[in-house]
């Protein structure tokens, strides 16, 4: 009888998963359609790279004149009143070149930003419509991003099922919280290489969780390493994975500490591999950090952390449309409650931290916590060292969204009595759905559709 | 447990009520014309509305029956006590000077009733022939003084095909506002779908696509919540 109940509940969970994935797809299609063309951070420049990646001449900008489609892209920006919804200070000029409106990445970063292969993956849908209207091309690439989101949600489900297989609250709650996060849906319905980086980083974290559960399984870590390497070559927001693997390596070091001479050899080999295979931009950033540290001049503007937090949940457009502050305050309160719940969990279950049975879970959570800390630290730390306020967007934390949401849900679960956890999950889901609906219908749509 | 089922029923009632509120607010904003961006989160002292300092915003009404204006007001995070006057002026066809504009509506309110960074709504009798005409919303508060005055939200860039005014001088900025019109539900829906399909390719330029997506989304939501409730029930 108990196994029948368990099978029935598993079937219900799987059917709910089906609905979650279907909802993710349809929500993504709706957001991609409703969001005015080019109205996501850097979307025109990201699209330019994705389209240019399909042709060597365009990617390397070796032709004496810009490609003909640059004019189409510029015209599309004007048709859809691109400048009316951003803070970019340029005048509408139908004769101006494309870089009058947007910063072109190959001009700004000199080839160190992203790779042609990853942009070609993002721009793959364009193969179907290379010579079509450029706005249509944008929509096709957006649809590709929507599919990435479906994969991310599925990976989130798999990751939590691996770590907490017996908790419906977590197994369903984590994908639901990601799905109904309006900012996440917004970004994963528009064009940005950060979306592919997020997918790859999420896959890496999943295989790390599997590897830790399966007693430090090398094939899983191998796959995780492959995904992480491509993720880091895709975008700098995945650079935290470098430290994530450092955390994983520490478990190997401890387990095989008696064979330290072999470990030393492996370490030397790995260092060499990292030196030759690391993204150029990562190397550049490392070389810039030490002189900045030596200057001993540090900055801190609380607006940075405030904007990172707010734009993690909802700051649509080019991070320009803010909700009424009461909503951000509400999120702050529930997040603080979650932290409280997490602390209570640590105190109550402290003996289990060293129990052999729970070591895989504990190790995974430690690695995830490290990932979150590094991802936040990179953004805030860069501001502290340089004073720049340019990088203060919550979307840069989306590659660690699965770990973040796992910890949030763990904290909330701790505050809910066991018999109330399923109704609690329903209550959380309903409120998330209402929040998302409010952002879409009371903010995003009125924002883009109030000009005649 | 019966108490859990009661809680679930109450949750769904709460959900329905909130959805109705979201829907009503959405419907309320349909067909409105304006500028929603507010980057003026920490307004400067010079932007206070006091004495002779007047702040305004012009707009061209796209529809007839203009009957409402909303403005995002800011209080500097303090309690302000003086009266503020909002005037709706109509530019004459031959002049774009504020002094020559015709006053169509006037309302006075106390700054103490203003909530920081909240919309304030001004209803007035519908101006039936408003379509195509240029109006200006003007705010002034002669009794206010620096340290006891409010201001508006806005953006220091010309994003909207109208202009902000400081005194009688147009400036390259726009305040956060919206102008709304007396329209039937059908007219509002028509206006919205006209906008959302404008210059969009293939199915994105077809109203049916959005209706179909909404229908599929609604059905999936019903199925999803049914399943989730079954897990909980």
């Amino acid at each position: 009888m108990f196994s029948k109940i368990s099978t029935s509940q598993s079937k219900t969970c799987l059917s709910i998963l089906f609905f979650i994935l279907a909802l993710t797809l349809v929500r993504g299609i709706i957001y991609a359609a409703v969001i005015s063309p080019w109205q996501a951070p850097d979307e025109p420049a990201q699209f330019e790279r994705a389209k240019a990646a399909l042709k060597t001449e365009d990617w390397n900008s070796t032709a004496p004149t810009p490609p003909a489609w640059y004019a189409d892209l510029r015209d599309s920006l004007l048709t859809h009143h691109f400048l009316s919804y951003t803070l970019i200070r340029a005048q509408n000029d139908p004769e101006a070149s494309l870089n009058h409106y947007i910063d072109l990445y190959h001009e700004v970063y000199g080839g160190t930003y992203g790779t042609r292969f990853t942009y070609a993956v993002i721009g793959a849908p364009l193969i179907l419509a290379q010579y079509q209207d450029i706005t249509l091309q944008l929509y096709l690439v957006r649809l590709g991003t929507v599919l990435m989101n479906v994969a991310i949600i599925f990976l989130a489900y798999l990751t939590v099922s691996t770590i907490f297989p017996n908790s419906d609250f977590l197994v369903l709650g984590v994908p639901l919280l990601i799905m109904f996060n309006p900012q996440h849906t917004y970004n994963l319905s528009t064009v940005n290489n950060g979306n592919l980086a997020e997918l790859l980083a999420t896959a890496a974290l999943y295989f790390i969780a599997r590897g830790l559960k399966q007693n430090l399984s090398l094939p899983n870590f191998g796959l995780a390493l492959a995904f992480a390497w491509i993720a880091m070559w895709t975008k700098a927001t995945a650079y935290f994975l470098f430290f994530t693997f450092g955390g994983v390596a520490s478990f190997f070091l401890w387990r095989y500490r008696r064979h330290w001479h072999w470990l030393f050899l492996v370490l030397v080999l790995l260092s060499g591999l990292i030196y030759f295979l690391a993204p150029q931009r990562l190397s550049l950033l490392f070389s810039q950090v030490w002189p900045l540290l030596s200057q001993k001049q540090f900055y801190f503007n609380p607006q940075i952390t405030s904007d990172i937090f707010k734009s993690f949940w909802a700051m649509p457009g080019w991070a320009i449309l803010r909700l009424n502050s009461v909503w951000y305050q509400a999120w702050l309160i529930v997040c603080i409650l979650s932290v409280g719940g997490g602390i209570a969990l640590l105190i109550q279950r402290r003996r289990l931290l060293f129990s052999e049975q729970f070591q895989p879970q504990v190790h995974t959570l430690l690695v995830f916590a490290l990932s979150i800390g590094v991802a936040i630290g990179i953004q805030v730390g860069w501001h502290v060292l340089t004073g720049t306020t340019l990088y203060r967007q919550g979307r840069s934390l989306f590659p660690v969204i699965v770990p973040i949401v796992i910890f949030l849900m763990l904290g909330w679960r701790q505050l809910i009595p066991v018999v109330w956890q399923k109704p609690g999950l329903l209550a959380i889901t309903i409120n998330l759905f209402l929040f998302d609906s409010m952002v879409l219908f009371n903010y995003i749509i009125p924002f883009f559709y109030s000009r005649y | 447990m019966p108490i859990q089922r009661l809680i679930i029923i109450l949750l769904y009632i709460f959900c329905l009520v909130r959805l109705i509120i979201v829907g009503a607010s959405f419907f309320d904003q349909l067909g409105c014309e304006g500028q929603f961006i507010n980057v003026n989160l920490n307004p400067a002292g010079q932007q206070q509305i006091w004495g002779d300092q007047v702040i305004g915003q012009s707009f061209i009404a796209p529809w007839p029956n203009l009957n409402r204006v909303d403005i995002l007001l800011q209080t500097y995070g303090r309690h302000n006590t003086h009266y503020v006057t909002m005037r709706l002026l109509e530019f004459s066809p031959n002049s774009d000077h504020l002094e020559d504009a015709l006053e169509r509506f006037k309302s006075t309110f106390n700054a103490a009733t203003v909530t920081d960074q909240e919309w304030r709504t001004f209803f007035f009798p519908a101006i039936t022939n408003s379509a195509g005409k240029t109006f200006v919303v003007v705010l002034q508060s002669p009794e206010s003084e620096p340290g006891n005055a409010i201001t508006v939200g806005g953006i220091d860039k010309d994003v909207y095909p109208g202009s902000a005014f400081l005194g009688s001088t147009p400036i390259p900025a726009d305040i956060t506002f919206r102008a709304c019109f007396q329209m039937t539900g059908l007219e509002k829906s028509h206006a919205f779908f006209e906008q959302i399909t404008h210059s969009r390719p293939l199915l994105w330029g077809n109203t049916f696509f959005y209706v179909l997506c909404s229908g599929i989304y609604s059905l999936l939501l019903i199925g999803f919540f049914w399943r989730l409730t079954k897990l909980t029930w």
Side-chain angles (χ1 to χ4, degrees):
Chain A
M1 184 181 121
F2 289 109
S3 63
K4 275 188 184 169
I5 291 171
S6 170
T7 308
S8 164
Q9 277 188 330
S10 301
K11 281 184 183 168
T12 308
C13 264
L14 279 175
S15 66
I16 293 173
L17 173 65
F18 162 77
F19 276 106
I20 290 173
L21 296 177
L23 279 169
T24 304
L25 179 64
V26 173
R27 281 167 50 76
I29 291 171
I30 290 172
Y31 266 74
V34 160
I35 298 165
S36 206
W38 318 114
Q39 291 304 330
D42 298 330
E43 189 173 41
Q46 294 280 348
F47 176 85
E48 185 275 335
R49 287 288 82 191
K51 189 167 167 69
L54 301 179
K55 197 172 172 187
T56 307
E57 200 178 43
D58 292 347
W59 179 261
N60 294 326
S61 308
T62 50
T65 56
W69 53 268
Y70 269 28
D72 296 336
L73 179 45
R74 177 208 56 214
D75 293 344
S76 182
L77 294 177
L78 293 173
T79 301
H80 296 287
H81 308 290
F82 167 69
L83 293 175
S84 296
Y85 301 100
T86 72
L87 296 175
I88 296 168
R89 294 188 183 276
Q91 295 299 318
N92 280 323
D93 179 358
E95 301 302 321
S97 58
L98 184 60
N99 58 8
H100 168 76
Y101 297 99
I102 59 173
D103 292 329
L104 294 171
Y105 283 173
H106 57 279
E107 292 177 359
V108 172
Y109 295 100
T112 63
Y113 192 93
T115 60
R116 186 177 173 189
F117 169 71
T118 55
Y119 271 110
V121 168
I122 295 167
L126 292 174
I127 294 168
L128 300 170
Q130 272 194 68
Y131 306 107
Q132 299 289 334
D133 171 60
I134 202 146
T135 311
L136 173 62
Q137 292 180 17
L138 172 67
Y139 280 119
L140 288 175
V141 181
R142 280 185 173 185
L143 287 178
T145 307
V146 169
L147 291 175
M148 287 184 206
N149 194 20
V150 176
I152 288 167
I153 302 288
F154 184 55
L155 282 167
Y157 171 84
L158 290 177
T159 304
V160 186
S161 301
T162 302
I163 309 169
F164 302 104
N166 299 318
S167 173
D168 289 342
F169 185 91
L170 295 173
V171 165
L172 295 175
V174 169
L176 280 170
L177 178 45
I178 299 173
M179 179 181 74
F180 279 128
N181 178 326
Q183 190 63 45
H184 188 261
T185 310
Y186 192 102
N187 281 84
L188 272 289
S189 309
T190 52
V191 181
N192 198 293
N193 63 347
N195 303 328
L196 181 60
E198 181 187 340
L199 172 60
L200 295 166
T202 304
L205 291 171
Y206 165 60
F207 283 108
I208 286 174
R210 266 178 63 128
L212 288 169
K213 176 154 187 181
Q214 292 174 16
N215 202 22
L216 301 183
S217 147
L218 280 177
N220 281 299
F221 287 130
L223 277 169
L225 200 58
F227 279 116
W229 181 66
I230 305 172
M232 285 192 277
W233 273 94
T234 303
K235 190 160 189 166
T237 51
Y239 286 172
F240 71 92
L241 287 164
F242 185 76
F243 296 89
T244 305
F245 277 95
V248 170
S250 66
F251 298 129
F252 276 100
L253 282 170
W254 181 253
R255 170 172 290 195
Y256 298 110
R257 58 192 181 280
R258 291 204 178 94
H259 307 282
W260 62 269
H261 41 283
W262 288 110
L263 289 175
F264 181 73
L265 190 62
V266 168
L267 196 63
V268 167
L269 281 169
L270 274 177
S271 302
L273 269 174
I274 289 168
Y275 180 79
F276 286 109
L277 298 178
Q280 191 182 2
R281 198 155 174 236
L282 177 61
S283 310
L284 275 170
L285 285 172
F286 265 126
S287 64
Q288 285 170 358
V289 165
W290 183 249
L292 289 169
L293 278 169
S294 309
Q295 282 171 13
K296 290 187 184 165
Q297 191 166 9
F298 304 116
Y299 311 85
F300 184 67
N301 183 344
Q303 186 83 21
I304 299 296
T305 44
S306 170
D307 281 356
I308 290 172
F309 180 79
K310 289 174 182 174
S311 59
F312 182 86
W313 298 110
M315 198 179 283
W318 281 59
I320 199 172
L321 181 64
R322 290 164 187 261
L323 311 188
N324 190 303
S325 58
V326 73
W327 298 110
Y328 297 123
Q329 287 159 10
W331 272 112
L332 184 63
I333 289 168
V334 296
C335 287
I336 288 171
L337 281 172
S338 173
V339 170
I343 292 170
L345 176 67
L346 266 178
I347 294 170
Q348 279 183 18
R349 307 274 178 101
R350 60 188 182 280
R351 288 200 180 85
L352 295 181
L353 289 177
F354 303 100
S355 159
E356 197 62 40
Q357 182 191 359
F358 295 103
Q359 286 308 290
Q361 278 180 335
V362 170
H363 291 162
T364 308
L365 291 176
L366 276 173
V367 168
F368 280 8
L370 174 67
S371 303
I372 296 170
V374 172
I376 295 173
I378 288 174
Q379 254 202 109
V380 176
W382 191 250
H383 159 70
V384 167
L385 289 176
T386 63
T388 180
T389 57
L390 191 61
Y391 302 108
R392 59 179 208 266
Q393 294 183 50
R395 63 189 173 100
S396 299
L397 298 181
F398 284 163
V400 286
I401 195 168
V402 172
I404 288 174
V405 172
I406 285 174
F407 281 109
L408 282 174
M409 294 299 294
L410 270 173
W412 291 331
R413 187 183 74 158
Q414 187 61 22
L415 300 174
I416 303 173
V418 174
V419 294
W420 285 95
Q421 280 180 7
K422 284 182 181 164
L425 175 63
L426 180 61
I428 289 171
T429 307
I430 286 173
N431 280 289
L432 288 172
F433 162 65
L434 288 172
F435 178 69
D436 173 74
S437 302
M438 180 203 69
V439 171
L440 179 62
F441 289 102
N442 295 165
Y443 285 90
I444 294 174
I445 293 178
F447 177 58
F448 289 123
Y449 303 104
S450 59
R451 312 272 175 90
Y452 292 91
Chain B
M1 282 170 64
I3 185 96
Q4 281 194 359
R5 294 184 178 188
L6 177 64
I7 298 289
I8 290 169
I9 292 168
L10 287 174
L11 269 173
Y12 277 115
I13 292 172
F14 167 75
C15 179
L16 201 59
V17 168
R18 282 292 307 165
L19 272 179
I20 290 170
I21 293 171
V22 168
S25 175
F26 170 63
F27 200 70
D28 185 56
Q29 293 186 71
L30 274 186
C32 291
E33 157 92 357
Q35 193 292 108
F36 282 58
I37 304 172
N38 177 29
V39 297
N40 195 23
L41 301 174
N42 297 303
Q46 301 97 297
Q47 293 166 336
Q48 293 176 92
I49 302 170
W50 69 281
D52 294 334
Q53 176 120 307
V54 167
I55 287 180
Q57 174 72 40
S58 66
F59 63 93
I60 300 174
W63 308 102
N65 299 311
L66 173 68
N67 74 335
R68 176 181 136 205
V69 167
D70 300 343
I71 303 172
L72 191 92
L73 298 175
Q74 304 195 106
T75 64
Y76 291 92
R78 64 189 179 214
H79 183 67
N80 305 292
T81 57
H82 296 295
Y83 281 92
V84 183
T85 301
M86 190 284 275
R87 296 163 68 211
L88 179 71
L89 308 174
E90 180 184 333
F91 275 137
S92 70
N94 304 319
S95 170
D96 56 2
H97 292 118
L98 282 181
E99 300 80 25
D100 302 331
L102 173 68
E103 184 178 289
R104 297 300 298 250
F105 175 73
K106 184 175 173 179
S107 171
T108 302
F109 59 95
N110 194 296
T113 63
V114 173
T115 309
D116 197 23
Q117 296 185 15
E118 291 272 350
W119 291 96
R120 184 146 191 132
T121 297
F122 301 91
F123 280 106
F124 43 86
I127 302 170
T128 50
N129 59 349
S130 57
K133 294 189 176 170
T134 305
F135 295 87
V136 185
V137 171
V138 169
L139 289 162
Q140 58 196 122
S141 180
E143 294 166 8
S144 288
E145 58 222 7
N148 188 352
I150 62 170
T151 187
V152 292
I155 180 170
D156 56 344
K157 185 189 157 199
D158 228 343
V159 295
Y160 178 78
S163 181
F165 282 82
L166 201 58
S168 57
T169 310
I171 53 172
D174 290 305
I175 77 170
T176 311
F177 83 102
R178 57 183 171 230
C180 302
F181 305 83
Q182 199 173 304
M183 299 166 87
T184 63
L186 208 57
E187 285 170 334
K188 287 192 176 203
S189 303
H190 178 76
F192 170 62
F193 281 115
E194 206 176 77
Q195 275 210 296
I196 203 170
T197 56
H198 179 66
S199 299
R200 305 285 171 95
L202 296 182
L203 28 103
W204 291 275
N206 192 320
T207 300
F208 179 68
F209 168 72
Y210 299 93
V211 173
L212 180 67
C213 283
S214 305
I216 294 172
Y217 184 45
S218 303
L219 286 172
L220 282 173
L221 277 172
I222 291 168
F224 165 70
F225 278 110
W226 174 260
R227 279 294 184 181
L228 195 59
T229 307
K230 209 171 151 183
L231 185 73
T232 314
W233 196 257

